[in-house]
Amino acid sequence: MSGRVAHGRDHHAAARGLVVLDVGGFSCTEPQNERFAARGRATLAARGGLDLDTGREQQDRRLNDVWFTATSGGQPVLEAFNNTTFSVVPRDQPGNLRSCQSGAFDVQRLVVGRSVGVGQSVCFQTEQGRFGLFRILEAHQSVVDLRFRTLPHLV
């Protein structure tokens, strides 16, 4: 997000380590110096996975935080591996990284079309204690397309 620091707009936000930005006539806040351990877009083929801590797509299930398969009926499935857990963001909420840290990380398996839909966001916590968010952009029996962001440490 680009913009300039808005002087005198929100001293409370500044005290919490947030930068207050004045962008196009409205103000918003974003974490100061927020960097990501990993972020990007991943297109996973069936029996492929993603290490959410590094952003690497890998074919070895043991090296991944999320693994893509399909049910016998052909529905795409995302499974959590290596002590990673998911928390599904309700369909009527956009999901953001700050709200992910208060999620109920109790989901290990997501069947796209049943427990989660295309366009829906999913929070995650990796085995390394990092929080993040991915959105399912597209899902088919043979491929799933995700956009993800992983924070470097607990905030």
Side-chain angles (χ1 to χ4, degrees):
M1 181 178 295
S2 63
R4 63 180 173 77
V5 175
H7 299 284
R9 291 234 183 203
D10 189 343
H11 297 288
H12 298 291
R16 292 190 317 266
L18 300 173
V19 176
V20 182
L21 300 173
D22 186 6
V23 183
F26 63 93
S27 296
C28 58
T29 59
E30 69 177 11
Q32 241 176 354
N33 299 320
E34 183 170 21
R35 295 190 180 120
F36 299 100
R39 68 188 239 177
R41 188 170 177 165
T43 302
L44 304 177
R47 288 188 253 162
L50 177 64
D51 180 339
L52 293 164
D53 294 299
T54 64
R56 290 190 195 120
E57 294 179 43
Q58 303 183 82
Q59 295 300 315
D60 186 342
R61 179 186 301 218
R62 298 168 297 165
L63 302 175
N64 294 291
D65 296 310
V66 61
W67 184 255
F68 170 58
T69 61
T71 65
S72 59
Q75 287 188 284
V77 176
L78 295 171
E79 294 183 75
F81 273 86
N82 294 323
N83 295 318
T84 295
T85 53
F86 301 139
S87 179
V88 178
V89 176
R91 292 180 196 273
D92 61 342
Q93 296 178 16
N96 63 58
L97 289 168
R98 290 221 182 271
S99 66
C100 281
Q101 295 176 48
S102 61
F105 293 91
D106 56 359
V107 178
Q108 293 292 127
R109 188 171 192 263
L110 301 168
V111 179
V112 181
R114 284 192 210 156
S115 54
V116 67
V118 172
Q120 196 166 0
S121 295
V122 176
C123 297
F124 60 83
Q125 183 176 17
T126 70
E127 79 285 356
Q128 294 182 16
R130 294 183 173 123
F131 287 98
L133 181 76
F134 66 78
R135 180 178 303 261
I136 301 169
L137 303 175
E138 190 174 342
H140 303 284
Q141 182 176 351
S142 60
V143 68
V144 67
D145 195 13
L146 307 172
R147 177 161 290 143
F148 66 96
R149 294 176 292 170
T150 307
L151 291 172
H153 300 288
L154 299 175
V155 177

